[in-house]
Amino acid sequence: MVRVSLDDPLALALSPPPNETPEQRSAREQAEAEARKTSEAIDEQIRQEKIALKKKKKPVKILLLGQSESGKSATLKNFQLQYAKDQWLEERLAWRAVIYLNLIKNALQVLDILQQAMSQTNKDKYPSTSLTTADISDSDGEHRSHTTVYRFTDKHRLLKLRLAPLRTVLVDLEKRLGPGSQEVHAISRSLSDSTENRARQREFGVSSNNGWKSILDKLRSTPEPGNRPSSKQREAGHDGVTDVLLGCKDDMKSLWHDPVVKQILSHRRSKIEDASGFFLDDVDRIASPDYEPADDDIVRARLRTVGVQEHSFMMEAGQSLALSTESLPLDANADRGREWIMYDFGGTRSARALWAAFFDDVDTIIFLAPISCFDERLREDQDVNRLEDSLQLWRIVCSSPVLAKAQIILFLNKCDILHKKMKRGVSVRDYVPSFADRKNDTMTVMKYFQQHFKDLFKSCSPEPRPFFVHFTSVIDTKATATTLSVVRESVLRQHLQNARLI
Ligand SMILES: Nc1nc2c(ncn2[C@@H]2O[C@H](COP(=O)(O)OP(=O)(O)O)[C@@H](O)[C@H]2O)c(=O)[nH]1
Ligand SMILES: [Mg+2]
């Protein structure tokens, strides 16, 4: 017998009617049992969904691999631009300092080349206009002799003086941006091993969160020594570096457009315009008091990755998957709110020792191989051809037993530079003899290199797996967005397959 307190309206409502017949009671009890069953089933369903959700929301783990300057960080920026817009917008202004650094380096590089050509001149002999035989070294260290006559004038001497303040600003910016602001060059053989070890140790260590963000944050919070901007100026992101750039703007343009400088540069095999972080064509836009980096500027900006940088972002709502008609069904919302962790590594030879420690549990590797580099050598080792180095790395990654279950997506990158080289008539056969007498055009070269990568992939993979390849120019954010939508689906499919959910 259930006691009912007449004071409790809830208990009163739930209690059986006082004049209930045995039939009514049986029907009521049956209904109650069914309701209990339904409720328990719902509880169980919720519990199962929670477990599945937890499993489902395991972060997607992606590694970006490839030699230094292959475009790993630029690819990561494209991901961020497409799928983590909030982070992207938050960081936009901070990239300005990196773009300034790139632009200043470009101008000083041209100035150094000019200076080198001028230093060949015997000033005493030819006081005003000069004749010279220049022996100019390429950015990749190659020396080339030319018996060309350059006519230097006072304008060139003046440019050297007027652009000198850029050197001070460069030192300051490098100090503020840290080791990522400088490239790693070949270590002289005469230097002891310990020098390289020290350099290597600096490369170790994971910068969790957003690696470059911490650098950029630090930069924002350290005003320039001796040149403190007013709070109003700082609000507008205006500081002493901007002042120097504004002051040097016309001279930078004058240097870049100078016919003698153009002549000197035309004799160099590698084009300065194709180098990392080239901004000299954008001086007007960048050396302006209210310059705000455009999306493309940020993707093109070069900041060397030091150590390992872990970038995590949530797939934002509203980014629906562009579903293909592949066999396995995939929910269009399958990765909403899912965390993606992308590891971006330094790619220099000494930095690669760190990669293997991150190979466990990887869903996908995006491997960047710049195919424009068939005629270039590594900065850190002038004896090694860049394409050869990429292929060697590719072999190591494909044959790794730990990565046997990972999906590998190859980006044959820098196709835009390859195309420019083909148009200039650079001969692939001169650097890759096996190319033989094939047609020296972009499509043929792309296909030829692709076949090499594919053959290695097939012969080295510990077990058969599909070969995914994309021809990319990751500084082209629009075209890359299309590539990434395909990659994203493929990454997710692999992740769910690994988690055995589909
Ligand atoms: N023209 C061109 N430049 C690229 C391409 N991919 C990357 N870069 C530039 O090359 C430089 C090195 O790229 P980065 O992503 O820093 O290489 P990482 O060392 O592999 O991270 C940067 O200035 C990029 O903007 C490409 O496809 N075409
Ligand atoms: Mg990088």
Side-chain angles (χ1 to χ4, degrees), residues 346-388:
T348 56
R349 293 203 138 189
S350 63
R352 294 173 198 169
L354 200 55
W355 294 4
F358 293 80
F359 282 1
D360 263 351
D361 210 19
V362 173
D363 292 302
T364 296
I365 283 175
I366 298 179
F367 189 99
L368 276 288
I371 46 171
S372 59
C373 298
F374 62 87
D375 62 340
E376 294 169 28
R377 281 170 280 169
L378 293 178
R379 264 185 221 272
E380 67 267 30
D381 190 340
Q382 291 288 322
D383 294 336
V384 181
N385 173 283
R386 273 184 183 268
L387 182 66
E388 207 179 307

Side-chain angles (χ1 to χ4, degrees), residues 67-74 276-277 299-302 305 413-414 416-417 473-475:
Q67 66 187 198
S68 190
E69 294 178 76
S70 56
K72 300 181 291 297
S73 302
S276 299
V299 174
R300 275 165 53 211
R302 165 71 175 164
T305 308
N413 194 34
K414 302 203 178 181
D416 57 326
I417 302 181
S473 302
V474 299
I475 54 157

